[in-house]
Short mmCIF file of all heavy atoms in Angstrom, two decimals:
data_model
loop_
_atom_site.label_atom_id
_atom_site.label_comp_id
_atom_site.label_asym_id
_atom_site.label_seq_id
_atom_site.Cartn_x
_atom_site.Cartn_y
_atom_site.Cartn_z
N ILE H 278 -6.98 -7.51 16.13
CA ILE H 278 -8.10 -8.35 16.55
C ILE H 278 -9.27 -8.25 15.56
O ILE H 278 -9.48 -7.22 14.93
CB ILE H 278 -8.60 -8.00 17.99
CG1 ILE H 278 -9.12 -6.56 18.08
CG2 ILE H 278 -7.50 -8.22 19.03
CD1 ILE H 278 -9.75 -6.22 19.43
N HIS H 279 -9.98 -9.36 15.44
CA HIS H 279 -11.15 -9.43 14.57
C HIS H 279 -12.27 -8.59 15.19
O HIS H 279 -12.37 -8.49 16.42
CB HIS H 279 -11.59 -10.90 14.47
CG HIS H 279 -12.56 -11.18 13.37
ND1 HIS H 279 -13.87 -10.74 13.39
CD2 HIS H 279 -12.42 -11.84 12.19
CE1 HIS H 279 -14.50 -11.14 12.29
NE2 HIS H 279 -13.63 -11.81 11.54
N TYR H 280 -13.10 -8.01 14.36
CA TYR H 280 -14.24 -7.23 14.86
C TYR H 280 -15.05 -8.00 15.91
O TYR H 280 -15.44 -7.45 16.94
CB TYR H 280 -15.14 -6.83 13.68
CG TYR H 280 -16.47 -6.23 14.10
CD1 TYR H 280 -16.58 -4.88 14.43
CD2 TYR H 280 -17.61 -7.03 14.20
CE1 TYR H 280 -17.79 -4.34 14.83
CE2 TYR H 280 -18.82 -6.50 14.60
CZ TYR H 280 -18.91 -5.15 14.93
OH TYR H 280 -20.10 -4.62 15.33
N LYS H 281 -15.26 -9.31 15.64
CA LYS H 281 -16.08 -10.10 16.57
C LYS H 281 -15.42 -10.24 17.94
O LYS H 281 -16.09 -10.24 18.97
CB LYS H 281 -16.34 -11.50 15.98
CG LYS H 281 -17.35 -11.44 14.86
CD LYS H 281 -17.69 -12.84 14.39
CE LYS H 281 -18.68 -12.78 13.23
NZ LYS H 281 -18.52 -13.90 12.31
N GLU H 282 -14.10 -10.33 17.92
CA GLU H 282 -13.35 -10.41 19.18
C GLU H 282 -13.51 -9.09 19.94
O GLU H 282 -13.70 -9.07 21.17
CB GLU H 282 -11.88 -10.67 18.85
CG GLU H 282 -11.04 -11.16 20.01
CD GLU H 282 -9.57 -11.33 19.59
OE1 GLU H 282 -9.27 -11.57 18.40
OE2 GLU H 282 -8.71 -11.18 20.49
N ALA H 283 -13.46 -8.00 19.19
CA ALA H 283 -13.65 -6.68 19.81
C ALA H 283 -15.03 -6.59 20.45
O ALA H 283 -15.19 -6.07 21.57
CB ALA H 283 -13.46 -5.58 18.77
N CYS H 284 -16.03 -7.14 19.75
CA CYS H 284 -17.40 -7.13 20.31
C CYS H 284 -17.44 -7.91 21.62
O CYS H 284 -18.03 -7.45 22.62
CB CYS H 284 -18.38 -7.77 19.32
SG CYS H 284 -18.62 -6.78 17.86
N ASP H 285 -16.82 -9.09 21.62
CA ASP H 285 -16.81 -9.91 22.84
C ASP H 285 -16.18 -9.15 24.01
O ASP H 285 -16.69 -9.19 25.13
CB ASP H 285 -16.02 -11.21 22.61
CG ASP H 285 -16.75 -12.13 21.62
OD1 ASP H 285 -17.95 -11.89 21.37
OD2 ASP H 285 -16.10 -13.06 21.09
N ILE H 286 -15.09 -8.47 23.72
CA ILE H 286 -14.40 -7.71 24.78
C ILE H 286 -15.35 -6.64 25.35
O ILE H 286 -15.49 -6.50 26.57
CB ILE H 286 -13.10 -7.05 24.25
CG1 ILE H 286 -12.10 -8.12 23.82
CG2 ILE H 286 -12.49 -6.11 25.29
CD1 ILE H 286 -10.87 -7.60 23.08
N LEU H 287 -16.03 -5.93 24.45
CA LEU H 287 -16.91 -4.85 24.90
C LEU H 287 -18.11 -5.39 25.68
O LEU H 287 -18.52 -4.81 26.69
CB LEU H 287 -17.37 -4.00 23.71
CG LEU H 287 -16.28 -3.16 23.06
CD1 LEU H 287 -16.81 -2.44 21.82
CD2 LEU H 287 -15.70 -2.13 24.04
N VAL H 288 -18.64 -6.52 25.21
CA VAL H 288 -19.78 -7.11 25.92
C VAL H 288 -19.34 -7.52 27.33
O VAL H 288 -20.03 -7.24 28.32
CB VAL H 288 -20.37 -8.30 25.13
CG1 VAL H 288 -21.35 -9.08 25.98
CG2 VAL H 288 -21.04 -7.80 23.85
N LYS H 289 -18.16 -8.13 27.43
CA LYS H 289 -17.63 -8.53 28.74
C LYS H 289 -17.43 -7.33 29.64
O LYS H 289 -17.68 -7.38 30.84
CB LYS H 289 -16.30 -9.27 28.56
CG LYS H 289 -16.48 -10.77 28.68
CD LYS H 289 -15.14 -11.49 28.84
CE LYS H 289 -15.24 -12.86 28.18
NZ LYS H 289 -14.27 -13.07 27.11
N LYS H 290 -16.95 -6.23 29.05
CA LYS H 290 -16.71 -5.02 29.85
C LYS H 290 -18.01 -4.34 30.23
O LYS H 290 -18.02 -3.44 31.08
CB LYS H 290 -15.86 -4.02 29.05
CG LYS H 290 -14.40 -4.42 28.95
CD LYS H 290 -13.54 -3.26 28.46
CE LYS H 290 -12.11 -3.72 28.26
NZ LYS H 290 -11.11 -2.86 28.85
N THR H 292 -19.99 -2.27 28.39
CA THR H 292 -20.03 -0.84 28.04
C THR H 292 -21.37 -0.43 27.42
O THR H 292 -21.58 0.72 27.09
CB THR H 292 -18.93 -0.48 27.02
OG1 THR H 292 -19.16 -1.25 25.83
CG2 THR H 292 -17.54 -0.76 27.54
N PHE H 294 -22.41 -1.65 24.57
CA PHE H 294 -22.22 -1.72 23.12
C PHE H 294 -23.08 -2.84 22.53
O PHE H 294 -23.21 -3.92 23.11
CB PHE H 294 -20.74 -1.99 22.83
CG PHE H 294 -20.46 -2.29 21.39
CD1 PHE H 294 -20.42 -1.28 20.44
CD2 PHE H 294 -20.27 -3.62 20.96
CE1 PHE H 294 -20.16 -1.57 19.11
CE2 PHE H 294 -20.02 -3.90 19.63
CZ PHE H 294 -19.97 -2.88 18.70
N PRO H 296 -23.33 -5.50 19.62
CA PRO H 296 -22.57 -6.13 18.55
C PRO H 296 -23.27 -5.92 17.20
O PRO H 296 -24.49 -6.03 17.11
CB PRO H 296 -22.54 -7.61 18.95
CG PRO H 296 -22.65 -7.58 20.44
CD PRO H 296 -23.56 -6.43 20.75
N PHE H 300 -18.13 1.22 16.27
CA PHE H 300 -17.66 1.63 17.59
C PHE H 300 -17.76 3.14 17.78
O PHE H 300 -17.40 3.90 16.89
CB PHE H 300 -16.21 1.19 17.81
CG PHE H 300 -16.01 -0.29 17.63
CD1 PHE H 300 -15.08 -0.78 16.73
CD2 PHE H 300 -16.78 -1.19 18.36
CE1 PHE H 300 -14.90 -2.14 16.55
CE2 PHE H 300 -16.60 -2.56 18.19
CZ PHE H 300 -15.67 -3.03 17.28
N ASP H 304 -16.24 3.18 23.11
CA ASP H 304 -15.90 1.79 22.79
C ASP H 304 -14.44 1.69 22.37
O ASP H 304 -13.71 0.80 22.81
CB ASP H 304 -16.79 1.26 21.65
CG ASP H 304 -18.27 1.40 21.96
OD1 ASP H 304 -18.67 1.06 23.09
OD2 ASP H 304 -19.01 1.88 21.08
N LEU H 308 -11.50 -0.46 24.16
CA LEU H 308 -10.77 -1.52 23.46
C LEU H 308 -9.26 -1.31 23.51
O LEU H 308 -8.49 -2.26 23.64
CB LEU H 308 -11.22 -1.58 22.00
CG LEU H 308 -12.61 -2.18 21.77
CD1 LEU H 308 -13.07 -1.94 20.34
CD2 LEU H 308 -12.60 -3.67 22.10
N LEU H 316 -4.09 -0.14 18.07
CA LEU H 316 -4.80 -1.41 17.96
C LEU H 316 -5.44 -1.48 16.58
O LEU H 316 -6.11 -0.53 16.15
CB LEU H 316 -5.89 -1.48 19.04
CG LEU H 316 -6.95 -2.57 18.90
CD1 LEU H 316 -6.34 -3.96 19.09
CD2 LEU H 316 -8.08 -2.35 19.91
N ILE H 317 -5.22 -2.61 15.89
CA ILE H 317 -5.85 -2.79 14.58
C ILE H 317 -7.07 -3.70 14.74
O ILE H 317 -6.94 -4.82 15.25
CB ILE H 317 -4.89 -3.41 13.55
CG1 ILE H 317 -3.57 -2.63 13.50
CG2 ILE H 317 -5.55 -3.46 12.16
CD1 ILE H 317 -2.53 -3.23 12.55
N ILE H 318 -8.23 -3.21 14.33
CA ILE H 318 -9.43 -4.03 14.34
C ILE H 318 -9.77 -4.31 12.87
O ILE H 318 -9.81 -3.37 12.07
CB ILE H 318 -10.60 -3.33 15.05
CG1 ILE H 318 -10.16 -2.91 16.47
CG2 ILE H 318 -11.83 -4.24 15.11
CD1 ILE H 318 -11.16 -2.01 17.17
N HIS H 319 -9.97 -5.57 12.54
CA HIS H 319 -10.22 -5.89 11.13
C HIS H 319 -11.51 -6.67 10.95
O HIS H 319 -12.07 -7.21 11.89
CB HIS H 319 -9.03 -6.67 10.54
CG HIS H 319 -8.64 -7.89 11.32
ND1 HIS H 319 -9.25 -9.11 11.18
CD2 HIS H 319 -7.70 -8.05 12.29
CE1 HIS H 319 -8.70 -9.98 12.00
NE2 HIS H 319 -7.76 -9.37 12.70
N PHE H 321 -14.81 -5.76 9.74
CA PHE H 321 -16.07 -5.20 10.25
C PHE H 321 -17.24 -5.75 9.42
O PHE H 321 -17.05 -6.14 8.26
CB PHE H 321 -16.07 -3.67 10.11
CG PHE H 321 -15.17 -2.97 11.09
CD1 PHE H 321 -13.79 -3.00 10.95
CD2 PHE H 321 -15.71 -2.25 12.15
CE1 PHE H 321 -12.96 -2.35 11.86
CE2 PHE H 321 -14.89 -1.60 13.06
CZ PHE H 321 -13.52 -1.64 12.92
#
Side-chain angles (χ1 to χ4, degrees):
I278 62 174
H279 194 290
Y280 170 83
K281 286 186 181 150
E282 196 183 333
C284 291
D285 292 344
I286 296 171
L287 291 176
V288 169
K289 258 194 213 121
K290 286 194 184 228
T292 60
F294 171 78
F300 304 124
D304 305 314
L308 287 168
L316 166 67
I317 308 177
I318 305 170
H319 53 84
F321 287 73

